[in-house]
């Protein structure tokens, strides 16, 4: 990078987030050129010249003018050119990879652990009921069904909390929510009756509603479009992994001779206390933004700032966080788009199965007569969820690489639906095949959700739209569990035909919705291609054998909807 051009748009961005001189000590403010946006500009050569490799690895970012193909056959735009006006941003891939790995090791790992504990605290009530909770407290199956249903009432009511990740510093918001549900979960171990369990479940759900649904939105602050899916997949894969541990842990606890507490109380206590400890860790170690992460070096912070400009719009002079960063006009426009409405219906369909499978699977396996021992039935829940955990990560990684998230969701939904069909129709004596069908169901449901969430984020146009899109998706989608948690009453044993059929139908409906939304995006991409062709825009690498670079945001040159 011997020639480096610094222009007004990026200078103004740096002045907002930090001094422009922070880009590199080599350049003084006198080297910054301020010209109107929309004009063709010539690069400014900055003396003294420096070695390419040395400069590339110290600065990490290169800025050059954007010139469309109308100004010459050899000129091509690059990713981020429209967002920064007439400036192309080229980021040193070595430094960028280092930044990305640091975010993975800190942000993604912490969010993964928190969601694993959240799902453990949410779904362990099924294992507790199987371990004798209802008998000890003297309530019937109808009361148990309400313990499941009441969780999703506050979970729906407080879905708007997803925007708190943008309004409040994330490390503070994460600490508040995790500590609240950790306390509620732990207090379930002391519940003297059904009513007190209902209260604990309410506060558990209210706190989790402020955490998990907004985490993919938080991740979108740190990762670019082609990076986001895998990170969301890793985060959401904590759900099946937590269920794997829930089954194994429940098995260990219920087979412990002479436990100090009733097994179900000990289960709530052991699984609730680690959440309280994690809340403290989040307060001190969770980064609140890419540009303020304490574990990044000055060079890495420069690259982190440049990455932000490539996938976030700055609305006027509004800050990236806080109430002033929320645009009411963009909130309203979000509700008008199919990329907000259809994923919400998809999430509803998936959540019918997603909510019911973890809490009812021990009873379902027990009713199959795979084993007369209820503790062994708890342990048999682990293998299907372990497979689901692996598919979550693999499918989101493949969808990132191919940018074919819709096809991935269609395939996974069909597999999950087929699993439910087999469970509903196979005779009871085919135990091995019915157990294999559980693998199909679990391997389809969880990974489908892991792909729906990043698909929604990938195709929203700004921070505000992403936040509102996730909030709407969860408000509609979390109504699914209100149905899902009522599908497997004890009276339907041993085959639970009604519940299996309903879950299968919704999985197939989800596949149809994904196919329709993908067709919608194909049509929109064709319109964008034609518009750029008419304007004579030549995308980076297009037509000369190089890999095509897509724009990161709506309105950027080369932006395409993820299919």
């Amino acid at each position: 990078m011997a020639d480096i051009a610094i222009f007004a748009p990026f200078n103004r961005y740096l002045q907002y987030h930090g001094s422009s001189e922070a880009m590199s000590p080599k350049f003084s403010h006198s080297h910054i050129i301020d010209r109107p946006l929309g004009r063709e500009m010539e690069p400014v050569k900055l003396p003294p010249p420096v070695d390419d490799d040395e400069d590339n690895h110290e600065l990490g970012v290169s800025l050059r003018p954007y010139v469309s193909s109308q100004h010459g056959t050899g000129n091509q735009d690059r990713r981020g050119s429209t967002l920064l006006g007439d400036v192309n941003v080229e980021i040193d891939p070595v430094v960028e990879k280092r930044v990305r790995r640091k975010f993975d090791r800190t942000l993604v790992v912490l969010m993964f652990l928190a969601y694993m504990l959240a799902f453990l605290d949410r779904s362990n009530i099924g294992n507790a009921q199987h371990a004798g909770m209802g008998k000890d407290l003297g309530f019937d199956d109808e009361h148990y069904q309400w313990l499941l249903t009441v969780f999703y009432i506050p979970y729906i009511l407080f879905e708007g909390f997803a925007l708190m990740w943008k309004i409040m510093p994330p490390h503070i918001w994460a600490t508040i929510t995790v500590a609240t549900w950790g306390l509620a979960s732990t207090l379930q171990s002391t519940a003297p009756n059904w009513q007190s369990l209902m209260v604990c479940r309410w506060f558990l759900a209210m706190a989790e509603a402020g955490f998990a649904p907004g985490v993919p939105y938080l991740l979108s602050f740190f990762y670019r479009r082609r990076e986001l899916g895998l990170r969301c997949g890793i985060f959401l894969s904590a759900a099946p992994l937590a269920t794997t541990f829930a089954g194994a842990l429940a098995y260990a606890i219920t087979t412990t001779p002479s436990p100090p507490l009733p097994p179900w109380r000990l289960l709530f206590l052991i699984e609730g206390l680690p959440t309280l400890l994690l809340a403290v860790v989040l307060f001190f170690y969770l980064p609140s933004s890419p540009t303020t992460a304490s574990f990044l070096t000055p060079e890495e912070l420069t690259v982190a700032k440049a990455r932000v400009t490539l996938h976030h719009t700055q609305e006027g002079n509004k800050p990236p966080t806080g109430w002033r960063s929320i645009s009411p006009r963009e909130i309203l426009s979000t509700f008008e788009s199919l990329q907000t409405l259809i994923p919400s219906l998809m999430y509803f369909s998936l959540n019918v199965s997603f909510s019911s499978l973890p809490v009812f699977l021990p009873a379902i396996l027990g009713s199959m007569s795979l084993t007369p021992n209820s503790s062994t039935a708890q342990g048999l829940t682990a293998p299907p969820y372990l497979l689901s955990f692996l598919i979550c990560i693999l499918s989101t990684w493949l969808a990132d690489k191919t940018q074919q998230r819709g096809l991935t969701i269609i395939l996974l939904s069909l597999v999950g639906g087929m699993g439910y069909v087999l469970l509903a129709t196979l005779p009871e004596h085919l135990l091995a095949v019915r157990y294999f069908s559980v693998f199909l169901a679990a391997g389809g449901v969880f990974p489908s959700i892991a792909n729906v969430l990043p698909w929604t984020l990938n195709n929203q146009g700004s921070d505000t739209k992403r936040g509102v899109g996730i909030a709407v998706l969860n408000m509609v989608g979390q109504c699914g569990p209100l149905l899902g948690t009522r599908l497997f009453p004890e009276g339907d044993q041993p085959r639970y035909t009604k519940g299996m059929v309903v879950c299968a139908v919704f999985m197939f409906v989800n596949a149809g919705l994904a196919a329709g939304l993908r067709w919608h995006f194909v049509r929109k991409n064709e319109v964008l291609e034609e518009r750029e062709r008419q304007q004579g825009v030549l995308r980076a690498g297009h037509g000369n054998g190089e890999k095509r670079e897509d724009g990161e945001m709506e309105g950027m040159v080369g932006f395409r909807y993820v299919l």
Side-chain angles (χ1 to χ4, degrees):
M1 296 193 302
D3 299 334
I4 298 181
I6 301 181
F7 298 101
F10 198 67
N11 179 35
R12 285 195 290 271
Y13 174 82
L14 289 180
Q15 287 175 336
Y16 180 79
H17 289 278
S19 170
S20 59
E21 289 87 349
M23 288 290 295
S24 172
K26 298 173 185 174
F27 309 136
S28 67
H29 195 273
S30 62
H31 292 132
I32 297 171
I33 308 299
D34 194 351
R35 298 188 184 180
L37 297 180
R39 278 188 181 172
E40 182 181 347
M41 293 177 287
E42 296 298 330
V44 177
K45 297 188 177 182
L46 302 175
V50 292
D51 178 74
D52 283 3
D53 293 335
E54 178 187 355
D55 179 55
N56 189 44
H57 288 276
E58 181 176 356
L59 181 60
V61 177
S62 173
L63 306 175
R64 299 182 184 278
Y66 157 69
V67 185
S68 76
S69 61
Q70 293 174 323
H71 299 289
T73 58
N75 295 315
Q76 297 174 337
D77 64 277
R78 300 229 175 239
R79 181 182 297 176
S81 60
T82 302
L83 179 59
L84 297 181
D86 292 327
V87 177
N88 296 308
V89 179
E90 298 178 8
I91 298 175
D92 179 1
V94 176
V95 181
E96 185 178 25
K97 184 176 182 180
R98 209 160 60 226
V99 171
R100 193 166 53 241
R101 284 182 174 177
K102 287 191 175 182
F103 287 153
D104 290 342
R105 289 195 297 264
T106 307
L107 174 66
V108 176
V109 168
L110 288 175
M111 294 296 97
F112 176 88
L113 292 175
Y115 190 50
M116 184 173 67
L117 293 177
F119 207 82
L120 204 63
D121 293 336
R122 175 196 312 185
S123 60
N124 59 11
I125 193 166
N127 291 318
Q129 177 71 356
H130 207 64
M133 177 181 65
K135 292 180 181 178
D136 288 356
L137 297 184
F139 60 80
D140 57 16
D141 182 61
E142 181 65 23
H143 285 80
Y144 172 65
Q145 298 286 334
W146 273 108
L147 284 174
L148 304 180
T149 302
V150 74
F151 178 90
Y152 293 98
I153 297 174
Y155 208 88
I156 295 168
L157 293 176
F158 295 99
E159 284 296 341
F161 279 170
L163 285 173
M164 292 300 293
W165 290 105
K166 185 176 179 67
I167 295 169
M168 184 179 290
H171 74 285
I172 296 177
W173 180 244
T175 301
I176 293 172
T177 55
V178 173
T180 301
W181 96 60
L183 182 61
S185 178
T186 304
L187 289 177
Q188 288 179 114
S189 65
T190 66
N193 50 42
W194 174 80
Q195 291 85 349
S196 57
L197 278 176
M198 289 283 285
V199 173
C200 289
R201 294 282 290 176
W202 177 278
F203 283 99
L204 176 69
M206 185 175 68
E208 286 197 22
F211 178 81
V215 169
Y217 178 44
L218 173 68
L219 294 176
S220 73
F221 298 162
F222 291 80
Y223 294 99
R224 298 166 72 173
R225 293 178 84 210
R226 289 180 177 270
E227 304 165 355
L228 183 61
L230 175 60
R231 277 74 189 181
C232 286
I234 293 172
F235 164 70
L236 292 165
S237 70
L241 187 63
T243 313
T244 301
F245 287 131
L249 186 57
Y251 176 81
I253 292 174
T254 54
T255 55
T256 300
S258 303
L261 294 172
W264 65 271
R265 292 187 184 274
L266 194 60
L267 182 66
F268 283 137
L269 186 64
I270 291 176
E271 295 182 354
L273 289 176
T275 306
L276 294 173
L277 297 177
L278 182 62
V280 179
V281 175
L282 289 172
F283 181 80
F284 290 103
Y285 292 102
L286 182 67
S288 285
S289 76
T291 58
T292 60
S294 60
F295 49 79
L296 296 181
T297 65
E299 176 194 27
E300 292 165 350
L301 282 172
T302 299
V303 169
K305 289 178 181 179
R307 281 166 56 89
V308 168
T309 69
L310 295 182
H311 67 292
H312 291 279
T313 57
Q314 296 297 322
E315 299 156 1
N317 292 321
K318 296 178 183 179
T321 58
W323 284 107
R324 292 175 57 212
S325 66
I326 304 296
S327 169
R329 184 171 59 182
E330 288 202 342
I331 290 177
L332 294 176
S333 67
T334 305
F335 289 96
E336 301 172 357
S337 62
L338 288 178
Q339 56 256 46
T340 299
L341 301 179
I342 293 183
S344 300
L345 297 177
M346 294 171 61
Y347 200 38
F348 175 92
S349 301
L350 290 171
N351 265 328
V352 172
S353 304
F354 179 78
S355 61
S356 58
L357 196 60
V359 293
F360 289 112
L361 189 56
I364 293 170
L365 292 177
S367 69
M368 286 184 185
S369 301
L370 287 168
T371 171
N373 190 316
S374 63
S375 298
T376 305
Q378 299 270 23
L380 287 174
T381 64
Y385 290 124
L386 183 60
L387 174 66
S388 182
F389 162 75
L390 297 175
I391 295 176
C392 277
I393 297 176
L394 178 61
S395 64
T396 51
W397 178 79
L398 286 175
D400 270 352
K401 292 294 183 182
T402 62
Q403 292 293 282
Q404 293 291 335
R405 207 167 295 281
L407 291 179
T408 303
I409 294 170
I410 293 169
L411 176 62
L412 292 170
S413 298
L414 293 176
V415 169
M418 186 56 63
Y420 281 111
V421 168
L422 293 176
L423 286 169
T425 58
L426 286 174
E428 297 175 30
H429 66 274
L430 297 178
L431 297 180
V433 182
R434 285 172 60 82
Y435 185 50
F436 171 74
S437 302
V438 174
F439 282 81
L440 295 180
V445 173
F446 287 93
S448 292
I449 287 184
N451 281 279
V452 166
L453 293 177
W455 204 23
T456 301
L457 292 167
N458 283 157
N459 293 320
Q460 295 290 355
S462 70
D463 289 346
T464 299
K465 287 184 177 181
R466 279 192 290 267
V468 175
I470 282 292
V472 172
L473 178 122
N474 280 283
M475 281 189 283
V476 176
Q478 293 301 339
C479 294
L482 297 178
L483 172 62
T485 54
R486 316 289 292 184
L487 290 178
F488 296 90
E490 286 184 351
D492 287 354
Q493 290 189 49
R495 297 189 47 185
Y496 295 100
T497 302
K498 179 184 70 175
M500 299 300 183
V501 169
V502 171
C503 288
V505 168
F506 275 106
M507 292 302 293
F508 292 136
V509 167
N510 184 69
L513 290 171
L517 185 60
R518 185 182 185 278
W519 176 83
H520 172 69
F521 288 142
V522 168
R523 294 293 300 273
K524 295 191 77 169
N525 282 347
E526 290 174 352
V527 171
L528 293 173
E529 290 277 4
E530 178 63 19
R531 184 179 302 165
E532 289 187 5
R533 187 188 66 80
Q534 292 177 355
Q535 294 175 352
V537 174
L538 184 62
R539 300 168 68 187
H542 192 62
N544 60 4
E546 297 179 16
K547 184 178 179 180
R548 190 184 72 183
E549 294 282 11
D550 287 344
E552 293 279 333
M553 300 290 295
E554 281 182 315
M556 292 175 61
V557 172
F559 174 83
R560 297 293 181 268
Y561 292 95
V562 175
L563 302 180

